[in-house]
Amino acid sequence: MTTPYRAADDRYTRMPYRRTGRSGLDLPALSLGLWHNFGDTTPMATQRDVLLRAFDLGVTHIDLANNYGPPHGSAEESFGRHLARDLRPYRDELVISTKAGYDMWPGPYGDGGSRKYLLSSLDQSLARMGLDHVDIFYSHRPDPTVPIEETMGALHTAVVSGRAIYAGISNYSPAQTRAAARVLADLGTPLLIHQPSYSMFNRHVEIAQPGPDGAAAESLLDVVGDLGVGTIVFSPLAQGLLTGRYLDGDIPADSRAAVGHFLKPERIDETYLARARALAEVATGRGQSLAQLALSWVLRDERVTSALIGASSVAQLEENIAALSAPALTAEELAAIEPHAVDGTAR
């Protein structure tokens, strides 16, 4: 018989919180993403240990999507079981998010950005998790075949119907982000947050992109800063490339590169190794691991509200959260990082 869970009394003393853009919502500097480690392939006991330890350390934000697993939907189902068993008394202390936008079920209504798909998916997600609402509902990606007014209108409906408290977007370009924010503002539902990928090896959010109809080029970080939209970044460790797992040039049998689904073995090349080893030297000089340095680096920008971490064990979770106790990066450290933090590394 498992001992009933009681959250740590000091959980809110262990985590810094950041305001999400110009909203009233605070998020933990590190949030827990359930992308890889909460599907049917991960033991429920391991999931429970990670999830509850995260909450004990002040991680109040749990990030999901309809297709997280594997298989699709299983991460939400797993989280729903943990919520019912352990976290239900703490529901109002949690920020729970989910998304829809990628392939989920067969046929023309199980993918994309249509109103039909987004709202049907949200209803399914709520049923899987045993919730009457989520705190944030995202459009997981832009759909160029659907008017942005329809996609944002579905997010607006999710909020005004009480199925979500806030609206978010993910993987939108700077121009698409401006358009989404404009449509939502006209409807009366502010855009709360954007979720892009960002790491020392994937810096696209810093790169200015041309606007529509000759508008000035601007970066995604410039846009969210101007609009007062929060930013929560995923893959801050570049799918494990910014950890110590590959620094000796070998590929561990249980690593993502060995599995080869999102991270291919050929990405562990000499260019990557040289850059990762140089960054690891900077980390060592700060008393950090490479992963901790990578988290400190993405959080250096005040426009980044939170960084999403995944964890396959409590030890990995605790190592990542320990990054928050390190001092801010100095100008000298940032200068030492810059030649090796190259966008497109191992892409």
Side-chain angles (χ1 to χ4, degrees), residues 4 18 29 60-61 64 116 174 189 257 294 323 337 345:
R18 296 181 171 197
T60 54
H61 180 213
L64 297 116
K116 166 72 172 173
T189 296
I337 288 168
T345 296

Side-chain angles (χ1 to χ4, degrees), residues 13 47 69 87 93 110 136 205 234 257 282 291 293 297 317 322-323 333 336:
T13 67
Q47 296 178 19
L87 291 171
E93 298 182 40
I136 307 170
V205 300
F234 70 88
V282 177
L293 176 69
W297 186 86
L317 172 78
E333 288 167 338

Side-chain angles (χ1 to χ4, degrees), residues 55-291:
F55 189 54
D56 281 345
L57 292 172
V59 178
T60 54
H61 180 213
I62 309 299
D63 181 76
L64 297 116
N66 57 357
N67 62 349
Y68 286 1
H72 290 355
S74 60
E76 290 180 330
E77 290 173 351
S78 294
F79 177 72
R81 289 193 287 271
H82 296 300
L83 180 69
R85 178 178 181 174
D86 296 300
L87 291 171
R88 182 65 66 179
Y90 305 99
R91 170 63 184 98
D92 290 337
E93 298 182 40
L94 294 169
V95 175
I96 301 168
S97 63
T98 196
K99 315 176 198 72
Y102 286 97
D103 174 58
M104 187 60 190
W105 63 82
Y109 316 122
D111 193 1
S114 72
R115 181 180 181 86
K116 166 72 172 173
Y117 169 54
L118 293 176
L119 294 176
S120 296
S121 178
L122 176 56
D123 287 340
Q124 292 182 23
S125 292
L126 293 174
R128 281 190 289 267
M129 291 187 282
L131 293 170
D132 59 6
H133 74 277
V134 292
D135 297 278
I136 307 170
F137 182 50
Y138 289 89
S139 167
H140 207 165
R141 62 167 171 170
D143 184 345
T145 71
V146 176
I148 198 165
E149 291 80 5
E150 177 172 344
T151 301
M152 295 305 107
L155 297 186
H156 171 67
T157 295
V159 171
V160 298
S161 68
R163 286 175 277 182
I165 296 178
Y166 297 102
I169 58 175
S170 180
N171 299 305
Y172 279 55
S173 72
Q176 290 166 335
T177 299
R178 281 204 179 276
R182 182 174 59 252
V183 172
L184 282 170
D186 289 345
L187 292 169
T189 296
L191 175 60
L192 173 79
I193 196 165
H194 190 297
Q195 186 176 133
S197 59
Y198 185 40
S199 74
M200 289 194 284
F201 289 164
N202 180 0
R203 302 178 64 170
H204 74 98
V205 300
E206 302 173 7
I207 300 170
Q209 299 182 29
D213 303 321
E218 54 187 350
S219 72
L220 184 59
L221 286 177
D222 289 337
V223 169
V224 296
D226 180 54
L227 294 174
V229 171
T231 310
I232 180 167
V233 300
F234 70 88
S235 294
L237 306 184
Q239 294 291 310
L241 291 170
L242 288 166
T243 69
R245 299 217 75 185
Y246 309 108
L247 291 180
D248 61 3
D250 294 330
I251 298 177
D254 63 343
S255 67
R256 290 185 184 177
V259 174
H261 185 38
F262 293 102
L263 177 60
K264 303 299 182 184
E266 56 266 25
R267 292 170 69 181
I268 312 301
D269 59 16
E270 290 304 316
T271 299
Y272 155 72
L273 288 171
R275 291 170 179 168
R277 288 166 179 165
L279 293 168
E281 289 185 14
V282 177
T284 298
R286 285 173 48 83
Q288 288 187 301
S289 68
L290 176 55

Side-chain angles (χ1 to χ4, degrees), residues 294-307:
L295 294 171
S296 295
W297 186 86
V298 295
L299 291 170
R300 79 198 187 285
D301 193 310
E302 63 182 10
R303 293 168 295 186
V304 175
T305 312
S306 184

